[in-house]
Structures are given as structure tokens and as C-alpha cells.
């Protein structure tokens, strides 16, 4: 399998398909690069070169004990871009992957990047604190950590219902698809799974938002119960000069699955513009 070596020797698995202008797809928690099940083939067929990699600790990448913080994640993204010598790149970050986009742009000066897309992203900040009173109570994240430590398979199965917006009278995705994402999530190390909750829950990206100096598209569902639109997508779009905002009415967090065709169409329209 193809791997890229990060600064600390961690091997990152990646899929590199097609030719043309490169798009780097950065997955969300607790999944891996396979979450781009619908977008990567479609974008490749549309004439782009698509690269999707597994975050350290997830999927087929190495599972080191440490390094689950956004500075390291940004450096890992840099390792991918440098190793493949990608230029004129469009970065697409889903959920916690949006944090990688933001931190890479600020930490590495936006090198090699010409467009950015934030999909259901955790930027600019999630947790509630004294100077961010509108955020999510930290008990939500500590509860996630406790649930993962007690029974990770059970917690992930319950989390999938919120992730997909599934309820008693609604099922935006099949039970088989939801079960598959749980299997993908269980490939990750338990340490990485827990540490990444701390990373995306508490990291403050507000200072990184000024680094979005390229055309940027923000996509978010307004019924996202995992990363609430009011404290993330709405605020991120307002903080980035000239950003385009696409609000998916009634959509949950998992728009790459529940709104797969619409997301692909919006990505293509933006990338070709």
C-alpha cells in the first residue's frame, strides 16, 4: 500500500487517483479516507487528481501513541503535499478535517494551496468558555470521551444516529451504510479516537481564520447536531473575507453521505469557477 512518511516517521496511507488539478480530501472523525466513498470517484471522473489520506491513528496509517494535535496534523498534511509535490491544490476538509485546513494555512503560510472548502467543519471553535460563551458545553466532549472509554463500539453506534440525523421517523441513510461507518471507525486506535475528541473539541482556530486568503467555500447543514451550524459554519463564513456559504436546509452532519450528489455538484461548481 502507498505511504507517505511524516516528520516523526509515522506512515500515512493515501489514495492518489486520476490526473489534472489536485484536490486533497481530509476526512472527519472517527472515519478514514474511505468516507469519501461518493466524492472521490466522482471528482476523479470529472477530470481532477484526487488524493485522500488516513489521518495518523486511523484507517491504514500508523498508530503512534502521541501526535494527536492540530500542529502535528497540519505538519502531516504538509508532508503529503510535499511528498507528492502538489501545486495549485484545493483542500477539502470535512468536520475535524476542516481544522487541518485552517491550521495548515496559518502554520505553513498556505503554501501550494489555491482554494479551500470547509464541509461541516469544526472551525473556528467549538467548546464554550469565558470568551466563547456561545460554544458547546465541555461536558459534551468529556461525555464522548467517557463513552468511548467505557464501550467504544456501543458509543460509535449511538453516535452514528446523530451523525446521520437518524431518528424514529427519519432514516437519511441505510442501516448498512451506518453500520459500515462504524466498522471503519473501529479500525482506528482507541488512543487516537479519544485524543482527537480533545483536539477538535477544545482547539481554538479563531486566530487561524485570517489565513484563508484564497477563494473559500463553506458548506454546512443547518440541522447539524454534531457540529452546530450557529457556532461553526455560520461563524467561519463570516470570518473569511469573500467566502461563499452554502447552507443545506435540514441537513445533518454527514452531508458527504446524506447529500452526496449535491455536495459533489457544489464542489465541482466551486472548483471549476
Amino acid at each position: 500500500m502507498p505511504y507517505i512518511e511524516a516528520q516523526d516517521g509515522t506512515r500515512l496511507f493515501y489514495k492518489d487517483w486520476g490526473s489534472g488539478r489536485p484536490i486533497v480530501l481530509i476526512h472527519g472523525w472517527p472515519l478514514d479516507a474511505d468516507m469519501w466513498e461518493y466524492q472521490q470517484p466522482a471528482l476523479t471522473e470529472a477530470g481532477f487528481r484526487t488524493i485522500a489520506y488516513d489521518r495518523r491513528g486511523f484507517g491504514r496509517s500508523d498508530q503512534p501513541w502521541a501526535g494527536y494535535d492540530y500542529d502535528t496534523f497540519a505538519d502531516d498534511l504538509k508532508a503529503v503535499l510535499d511528498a507528492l509535490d502538489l501545486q495549485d491544490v484545493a483542500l477539502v476538509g470535512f468536520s475535524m478535517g476542516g481544522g487541518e485546513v485552517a491550521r495548515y494555512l496559518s502554520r505553513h503560510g498556505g503554501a501550494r494551496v489555491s482554494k479551500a472548502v470547509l464541509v461541516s467543519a469544526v472551525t473556528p471553535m467549538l467548546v464554550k468558555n469565558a470568551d466563547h460563551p456561545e460554544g458547546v458545553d465541555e461536558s459534551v466532549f468529556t461525555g464522548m470521551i467517557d463513552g468511548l472509554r467505557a464501550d467504544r463500539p456501543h458509543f460509535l453506534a449511538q453516535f452514528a444516529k446523530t451523525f446521520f440525523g437518524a431518528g424514529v421517523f427519519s432514516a437519511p441513510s441505510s442501516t448498512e451504510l451506518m453500520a459500515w461507518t462504524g466498522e471503519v471507525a473501529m479500525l482506528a486506535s482507541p488512543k487516537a479516537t479519544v485524543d482527537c475528541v480533545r483536539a477538535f473539541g477544545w482547539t481554538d482556530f479563531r486566530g487561524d481564520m485570517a489565513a484563508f486568503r484564497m477563494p473559500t467555500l463553506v458548506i454546512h447543514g443547518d440541522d447539524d447536531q454534531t457540529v452546530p451550524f450557529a457556532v461553526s459554519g455560520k461563524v467561519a463564513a463570516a470570518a473569511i473575507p469573500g467566502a461563499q456559504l452554502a447552507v443545506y436546509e435540514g441537513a445533518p452532519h454527514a452531508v458527504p453521505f446524506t447529500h452526496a450528489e449535491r455536495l459533489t455538484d457544489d464542489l465541482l461548481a466551486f472548483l471549476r469557477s
Side-chain angles (χ1 to χ4, degrees):
M1 293 192 294
Y3 288 95
I4 289 167
E5 191 169 301
Q7 284 184 339
D8 63 357
T10 298
R11 296 178 308 153
L12 305 171
F13 169 83
Y14 71 100
K15 296 185 284 187
D16 186 352
W17 297 350
S19 59
R21 182 182 171 193
I23 304 170
V24 176
L25 301 161
I26 308 166
H27 69 83
W29 179 96
L31 304 175
D32 63 24
D34 289 348
M35 67 147 281
W36 300 107
E37 169 83 3
Y38 302 105
Q39 287 73 43
Q40 188 170 14
L43 294 171
T44 308
E45 290 168 358
F48 290 90
R49 178 184 178 186
T50 63
I51 299 95
Y53 66 97
D54 292 350
R55 183 178 291 108
R56 63 171 56 219
F58 293 80
R60 293 136 294 198
S61 290
D62 285 350
Q63 299 187 358
W65 186 250
Y68 301 106
D69 61 90
Y70 272 99
D71 284 352
T72 302
F73 297 149
D75 292 347
D76 288 351
L77 174 54
K78 182 178 187 298
V80 172
L81 300 183
D82 289 351
L84 300 177
D85 193 22
L86 302 177
Q87 305 290 342
D88 191 26
V89 178
L91 295 180
V92 180
F94 170 69
S95 194
M96 83 168 286
E100 264 109 324
V101 175
R103 186 55 51 88
Y104 173 82
L105 294 179
S106 64
R107 185 171 172 84
H108 298 291
R112 302 179 181 269
V113 179
S114 58
K115 286 192 174 183
V117 183
L118 300 173
V119 183
S120 306
V122 299
T123 49
M125 188 177 185
L126 287 184
V127 74
K128 178 191 296 186
N129 60 24
D131 71 341
H132 189 238
E134 66 276 18
V136 178
D137 196 277
E138 69 173 16
S139 64
V140 171
F141 306 113
T142 57
M144 291 174 69
I145 291 171
D146 290 344
L148 288 164
R149 285 176 167 167
D151 187 338
R152 187 159 62 115
H154 175 73
F155 174 85
L156 292 172
Q158 297 304 305
F159 175 78
K161 296 176 183 178
T162 303
F163 185 83
F164 282 94
V168 176
F169 302 108
S170 63
S173 298
S174 69
T175 55
E176 292 83 2
L177 179 58
M178 293 171 62
W180 171 70
T181 60
E183 294 169 5
V184 171
M186 284 302 297
L187 295 174
S189 85
K191 179 68 158 52
T193 305
V194 167
D195 282 5
C196 282
V197 174
R198 296 191 180 97
F200 69 71
W202 277 273
T203 300
D204 185 350
F205 299 102
R206 289 176 295 183
D208 300 294
M209 304 311 288
F212 284 84
R213 292 186 287 270
M214 66 287 297
T216 302
L217 172 63
V218 178
I219 297 173
H220 217 107
D222 66 2
D223 195 28
D224 188 333
Q225 302 299 310
T226 305
V227 178
F229 170 67
V231 299
S232 52
K234 182 179 180 179
V235 182
I240 301 170
Q244 299 179 37
L245 174 61
V247 180
Y248 289 14
E249 292 186 6
H253 190 60
V255 294
F257 302 101
T258 61
H259 294 66
E261 187 174 348
R262 180 178 177 183
L263 176 59
T264 297
D265 289 346
D266 285 347
L267 289 174
L268 286 173
F270 176 70
L271 295 169
R272 288 169 170 165
S273 64

